[in-house]
Amino acid sequence: MALALAGNIKGRSACHFLRDGEQIIGREATCHIRLPDVSVSRTHAKIVLKDGKVTLTDLGSSNGTLVNGRPITRPRELTLGDVLVFADVVQLKFVESVPPAETMFSQNGSSIESSSVTLDELFDTADRADERTNLFRILAEAGEILATHRPLDELYEAILDLVEKLATCDKAVLLLMEEGREEPTIKASRLKLGAAEGELVLSRTMVQKVIEQRSGLLTSDAQQDPRFQQQESVVSQGIRSAMAAPLFDNEKVIGILYADTTDPAFWYNRDELRTFTALANLIGVKITQARLTEAEEERRRLAREVQSAKDILAYILPTDLGCALGYEMGAYHEPCLEVGGDLYDVKCLEDGRVLFLAGDVAGKGLGAALLVSNIMPIVSVLIDDSPDLTELAARLNRQIFLSTDLIHYATLFLGVLDPPTGNVEYVNAGHNPPYWLTPKCGIEEVAATGTPIGMLEAAPFASGQLTIAPGGMLFLFSDGIPEAQNADGEFYEDDRLRDLVCRERDNSAGEIVASVRADLDRFVGDASPTDDITMLLIKRTLDAD
């Protein structure tokens, strides 16, 4: 067994193990055994261990040194059980024992353990009135932190404030488990001013014990305990005592709370570990509650943003399509998420022509919806300055390229209809080829004349011409229709869509769009949508002149 001076310093347990040779006792920070009290002289006494004998000498201290109640004036050989008093304020006992060392931390995964504190026994405080009173006092101080909602980052720092009030420590660390990671990660840490950062002395074995066994673990004065001298990770950092406790939220362990000290005047004991573990349990519950609260707040925030985006898109996407005399128009738009990246528009120009477009932004959700909200107003502005569609497409392409990242672009079909003649000038910027139907059951696909908008900074665009004859029509759609899948993974495909449009061609524009929607719903069934769906159909009536 090791020889030590054990007792109480300023209300805290203390144990100093004696090593061969001379050790100075006093309040100076450089003393081997530091007694931080103003009544103690800077260098108060010295103790010498040699050949198994221990000798105590007073160094001319102001307030004297007592052994078993008597002042010493010359070197005094100590025997086990002697009570030493320094300056009438610090009492230590000469013993041949060590405080319980429940767990030894190390980098190599080794662990020396004799006992631990589990959550099941934590509140079993019968016959421990003093400990229970102290526990409740600490928990009372924690009440404000635990009852008040605050952001997680602020909560972590408040927890470390509480740890510093609970335990004298050079280092306090909060670690949390994260999805996809086997080991907990540091969320907040606190180092005493002047303390060396170093690595956190937590072995994988210790971490697993804390998490799997839900046990608070302790090392008591590992720095001086000769059993621990070979553990270089502890010795190198000067760790005297350390505690680790599981953050248990009443369902699972979500992390670890850790504290250590290098002060030779203090070592953590089992009672402090019990309080530390109890505090960690409450902190675990609080962190989980705070996470759920933040998740709910984030969900509500996103819901508000999504609703705002839906309102904006509902305002942008047209509802009145009857601006071309002699023509019927039908449209349908359904995002696969709350908001989507498909778009369509119809606008009557001052010269009587009709601008129409349909597009599909790469991606889904809010990011795609934001680009939609940019494209449509820009087109409306550019058409007045750039009546030539190829120039309009080029200017729009450059604007989108410079204002978005490389992964955001849009396929787009731009057309300008001259109602009296049925002539359509168009630019197909990489969009799904629309179906052009003639009165005599002919059907053609309108191929692309350029690359998607915003994909390349300087992209050439060509225009094309077609004519919608009386009884004919132009059907624009997004790839969400032919690429729709049912529960068996089968695709709706272009051939089915083309055949359906041909069969329904004699119906009104609105009826044709409704038939496509109904057939698509039957095909998809209960399968979740995988892409946005948009249709725009322009049909010239038979009596059009």
Side-chain angles (χ1 to χ4, degrees):
M1 298 294 288
L3 298 175
L5 299 182
N8 190 286
I9 300 176
K10 285 194 171 183
R12 298 187 61 86
S13 299
C15 182
H16 296 279
F17 292 89
L18 303 181
R19 295 171 294 186
D20 285 337
E22 180 181 281
Q23 296 181 65
I24 301 299
I25 303 171
R27 77 168 188 268
E28 281 279 6
T30 56
C31 290
H32 301 93
I33 300 176
R34 184 168 176 261
L35 308 180
D37 191 288
V38 293
S39 298
V40 176
S41 297
R42 294 180 182 276
T43 52
H44 195 103
K46 71 176 178 180
I47 194 165
V48 178
L49 172 59
K50 183 177 181 182
D51 299 329
K53 296 181 179 181
V54 176
T55 304
L56 177 66
T57 304
D58 185 87
L59 297 179
S61 64
S62 299
N63 295 312
T65 303
L66 306 180
V67 176
N68 299 327
R70 295 183 178 183
I72 61 172
T73 57
R74 63 178 188 274
R76 166 73 179 270
E77 184 176 336
L78 301 180
T79 58
L80 291 175
D82 283 347
V83 176
L84 318 182
V85 178
F86 302 90
D88 293 326
V89 293
V90 180
Q91 178 175 299
L92 300 175
K93 190 173 184 179
F94 180 44
V95 296
E96 188 181 27
S97 63
V98 297
E102 278 113 25
T103 295
M104 172 61 194
F105 303 100
S106 69
Q107 294 286 355
N108 60 13
S110 64
S111 176
I112 302 173
E113 182 178 349
S114 61
S115 63
S116 62
V117 174
T118 67
L119 293 173
D120 293 333
E121 66 174 305
L122 183 60
F123 294 102
D124 179 18
T125 55
D127 300 324
R128 298 189 182 100
D130 292 341
E131 178 189 343
R132 184 166 63 249
T133 299
N134 182 60
L135 172 61
F136 289 157
R137 179 183 62 80
I138 294 297
L139 298 185
E141 293 182 7
E144 182 180 354
I145 294 176
L146 301 177
T148 305
H149 173 66
R150 62 187 73 195
L152 281 171
D153 288 343
E154 291 184 14
L155 176 61
Y156 298 153
E157 292 301 322
I159 289 170
L160 294 186
D161 288 341
L162 194 58
V163 170
E164 289 185 327
K165 292 179 181 179
L166 171 65
T168 298
C169 58
D170 291 339
K171 186 187 304 174
V173 186
L174 177 69
L175 306 97
L176 294 180
M177 302 298 298
E178 291 186 343
E179 187 175 354
R181 299 179 66 94
E182 294 183 0
E183 298 181 354
T185 58
I186 296 176
K187 290 297 182 180
S189 62
R190 191 75 57 80
L191 289 176
K192 183 179 178 181
L193 185 64
E197 292 200 20
E199 288 185 287
L200 186 60
V201 190
L202 295 174
S203 72
R204 285 188 173 87
T205 300
M206 191 283 298
V207 170
Q208 291 172 357
K209 285 181 179 291
V210 170
I211 294 175
E212 295 173 4
Q213 299 179 7
R214 299 185 300 173
S215 297
L217 304 180
L218 165 71
T219 176
S220 299
D221 210 347
Q223 187 67 204
Q224 295 196 47
D225 190 334
R227 295 175 299 172
F228 301 153
Q229 291 302 302
Q230 300 305 313
Q231 304 297 328
E232 295 182 0
S233 58
V234 173
V235 175
S236 64
Q237 295 190 71
I239 302 299
R240 298 287 177 168
S241 190
M243 294 185 291
L247 298 174
F248 183 64
D249 68 357
N250 293 333
E251 291 187 3
K252 62 182 182 298
V253 175
I254 64 169
I256 294 175
L257 192 63
Y258 172 87
D260 69 33
T261 179
T262 60
D263 192 333
F266 300 114
W267 52 270
Y268 303 131
N269 58 35
R270 185 176 177 80
D271 289 346
E272 289 173 306
L273 178 63
R274 290 174 61 86
T275 305
F276 191 71
T277 305
L279 179 63
N281 184 200
L282 294 180
I283 288 171
V285 173
K286 177 61 180 178
I287 289 176
T288 293
Q289 291 176 343
R291 282 174 163 178
L292 293 175
T293 299
E294 288 204 357
E296 177 62 17
E297 290 178 351
E298 179 67 9
R299 185 195 67 78
R300 291 177 180 176
R301 184 188 67 80
L302 289 176
R304 291 193 296 269
E305 290 187 2
V306 168
Q307 186 58 50
S308 296
K310 291 174 70 174
D311 294 343
I312 292 172
L313 289 180
Y315 177 79
I316 292 176
L317 295 175
T319 56
D320 182 10
L321 304 178
C323 65
L325 186 63
Y327 292 82
E328 297 175 349
M329 294 190 183
Y332 176 72
H333 172 73
E334 180 183 2
C336 72
L337 302 177
E338 288 84 352
V339 291
D342 281 5
L343 63 148
Y344 72 93
D345 197 8
V346 177
K347 178 181 180 181
C348 293
L349 304 178
E350 293 182 357
D351 59 7
R353 295 182 303 160
V354 178
L355 170 70
F356 64 93
L357 61 88
D360 184 358
V361 172
K364 305 175 183 66
L366 288 174
L370 181 62
L371 187 50
V372 168
S373 67
N374 285 334
I375 290 176
M376 297 177 67
I378 293 174
V379 171
S380 296
V381 171
L382 291 180
I383 190 66
D384 294 330
D385 297 334
S386 306
D388 180 81
L389 283 185
T390 57
E391 181 182 349
L392 186 156
R395 293 179 62 183
L396 176 64
N397 175 77
R398 178 172 174 78
Q399 181 75 19
I400 298 302
F401 180 86
L402 295 177
S403 61
T404 61
D405 54 39
L406 296 177
I407 65 172
H408 285 99
Y409 56 88
T411 65
L412 190 66
F413 187 96
L414 284 166
V416 174
L417 167 67
D418 179 46
T421 63
N423 290 334
V424 175
E425 180 186 5
Y426 66 86
V427 170
N428 185 353
H431 194 65
N432 276 72
Y435 297 154
W436 174 32
L437 285 80
T438 64
K440 296 182 180 180
C441 299
I443 183 169
E444 296 183 23
E445 294 185 354
V446 183
T449 61
T451 60
I453 297 294
M455 181 174 284
L456 302 172
E457 181 175 3
F461 295 94
S463 62
Q465 301 280 340
L466 61 84
T467 299
I468 303 177
M473 59 184 175
L474 184 64
F475 179 58
L476 292 76
F477 58 93
S478 64
D479 58 8
I481 298 178
E483 294 179 4
Q485 291 180 271
N486 60 20
D488 296 326
E490 300 171 327
F491 291 96
Y492 188 81
E493 295 188 344
D494 292 277
D495 290 343
R496 179 167 178 157
L497 176 61
R498 186 185 298 108
D499 292 343
L500 176 60
V501 172
C502 285
R503 290 197 308 270
E504 299 288 332
R505 64 189 306 144
D506 292 335
N507 294 325
S508 68
E511 291 172 337
I512 296 172
V513 169
S515 295
V516 174
R517 177 184 176 185
D519 188 60
L520 188 62
D521 287 343
R522 286 191 296 270
F523 175 81
V524 172
D526 295 331
S528 300
T530 57
D531 203 354
D532 305 328
I533 294 172
T534 298
M535 293 180 272
L536 177 62
L537 189 145
I538 303 173
K539 182 176 183 180
R540 190 175 184 185
T541 58
L542 287 172
D543 56 356
D545 295 329

